[in-house]
Amino acid sequence: MTISAAVLGRPIAHSKSPLLHRAAFQALGLHGSEYASYDLGADELEAFLADHDQEVGFSLTMPLKEQLVELARAHGWDLDDTAGLTGVANTLVRSASSTAVANTDVQGIVRALAPGLTTSDTEYGDRATILGAGATAASALLACHELGITSIEFLVRNPDRARRVLELSQRLGITATTAPLRRIEPAAIIISTLPAEAVPELQWSPDFHSGVALDVAYAAESGFLRAAEAHGLIPVEGTVMLVEQAVAQSEMFIAAAESQNAEAELRNTETADGGDRRTRDSARRAAITVAMYRALEDAPGPVGD
């Protein structure tokens, strides 16, 4: 089995997606598989996808994430809840019978935060704070919902721009409020969805005892995370989310390629019992994860999605 995939966006030269996905292909022995990159604007996406119908799938970064959801709705493609609810998507895959669109940033955030949540203070275990209210904040909101959060405070400069995440919060049954981007009150989860240069110096409540803080920006040094750590939170760098969302994408690419493959390998996979399939999938995810983290550690220079 071989896989042909690519990352799309503008600018795209900084993207680490080729590095990560090629490392996964190599780790799994998918020789002959290819992962390219294309510089593409939103107005070019529809024509590009029509002209490149042989690729199994694509990773998409800005400014294409919202456009992909619009195209999925227009063409009747399968729209995963992660993309349908947030209104943004970063993954397209083509199986034997359908085209599917998803937002693996949500899984990336969940997987990045989950390990540290076992130490969270139960007093604030159902609360989260999200810095920002844009597209990434919507992904962070859905991830918090999956992690059992029932109350979220959005710290924003302009409350009018928070309408989107407040409406989504209501749909999810989450109590949501907005506050100025000045002070962070105790919560189990703190997520900054702002560019590194847009995060001001913040006041932190002295009542923090534990929690997890994620900075989705991939800056070499995060003042936000250093402050969080100083107040007793477990810091999680944006590179963790970067890898974990890419792992989820890789699993989707492989599943789609398997569905297109009519050789004995696929037939054996389809006839294997559930336990064997789960064991295989778990081992494969572990191999992909190790390969991607190792590739990122060995790569010089700044990182980006």
Side-chain angles (χ1 to χ4, degrees):
M1 179 178 72
T2 59
I3 296 175
S4 177
V7 61
L8 316 176
R10 178 170 293 163
I12 203 63
H14 71 287
S15 176
K16 293 294 183 183
S17 291
L19 174 75
L20 297 177
H21 287 282
R22 290 168 186 168
F25 292 161
Q26 183 176 1
L28 297 177
L30 297 176
H31 306 299
S33 294
E34 300 177 349
Y35 191 95
S37 63
Y38 296 93
D39 187 276
L40 211 63
D43 59 340
E44 302 169 275
L45 180 59
E46 184 171 19
F48 178 91
L49 293 177
D51 291 340
H52 293 75
D53 58 357
Q54 298 304 307
E55 281 86 347
V56 167
F58 297 100
S59 310
L60 293 93
T61 185
M62 298 304 290
L64 308 178
K65 293 183 176 183
E66 293 178 317
Q67 179 68 9
L68 180 57
V69 173
E70 293 180 9
L71 290 177
R73 288 175 172 149
H75 290 278
W77 299 335
D78 294 339
L79 196 61
D80 185 274
D81 283 347
T82 57
L85 288 170
T86 61
V88 294
N90 69 341
T91 310
L92 179 147
V93 293
R94 295 166 172 145
S95 66
S97 59
S98 66
T99 297
V101 169
N103 178 0
T104 67
D105 283 341
V106 175
Q107 282 182 276
I109 295 172
V110 169
R111 294 179 184 179
L113 292 172
L117 287 178
T118 57
T119 63
S120 295
D121 193 321
T122 55
E123 182 179 357
Y124 306 113
D126 62 348
R127 292 173 56 181
T129 298
I130 297 176
L131 280 61
T136 306
S139 297
L141 165 60
L142 189 53
C144 286
H145 175 67
E146 292 189 12
L147 290 167
I149 295 298
T150 60
S151 177
I152 295 179
E153 183 174 60
F154 293 94
L155 301 186
V156 296
R157 288 190 174 89
N158 183 356
D160 291 338
R161 297 187 62 185
R163 184 177 299 108
R164 173 184 188 175
V165 290
L166 293 177
E167 291 176 350
L168 179 55
S169 298
Q170 186 175 22
R171 290 182 63 185
L172 296 173
I174 292 177
T175 300
T177 58
T178 61
L181 192 59
R182 296 173 189 162
R183 179 180 171 88
I184 301 179
E185 298 295 342
I189 296 172
I190 313 291
I191 303 174
S192 173
T193 67
L194 301 172
E197 66 276 8
V199 180
E201 186 172 347
L202 300 163
Q203 297 177 353
W204 291 73
S205 168
D207 297 329
F208 272 101
H209 303 295
S210 64
V212 184
L214 169 66
D215 188 348
V216 303
Y218 310 125
E221 179 64 26
S222 171
F224 164 76
L225 287 184
R226 300 294 77 81
E229 187 174 21
H231 288 83
L233 287 85
I234 298 172
V236 181
E237 296 182 356
T239 51
V240 179
M241 173 191 165
L242 172 67
V243 170
E244 295 297 341
Q245 64 82 26
V247 171
Q249 280 186 340
S250 185
E251 291 178 297
M252 291 181 67
F253 292 156
I254 292 168
E258 286 178 339
S259 76
Q260 294 181 3
N261 194 294
E263 297 176 355
E265 178 186 354
L266 177 57
R267 291 196 294 271
N268 290 339
T269 298
E270 289 177 336
T271 57
D273 64 37
D276 289 344
R277 186 179 297 112
R278 285 191 294 271
T279 299
R280 180 210 61 185
D281 290 347
S282 178
R284 185 161 63 189
R285 177 185 293 181
I288 294 170
T289 302
V290 170
M292 286 188 174
Y293 275 112
R294 184 171 296 156
L296 198 60
E297 289 171 0
D298 293 341
V303 297
D305 65 353

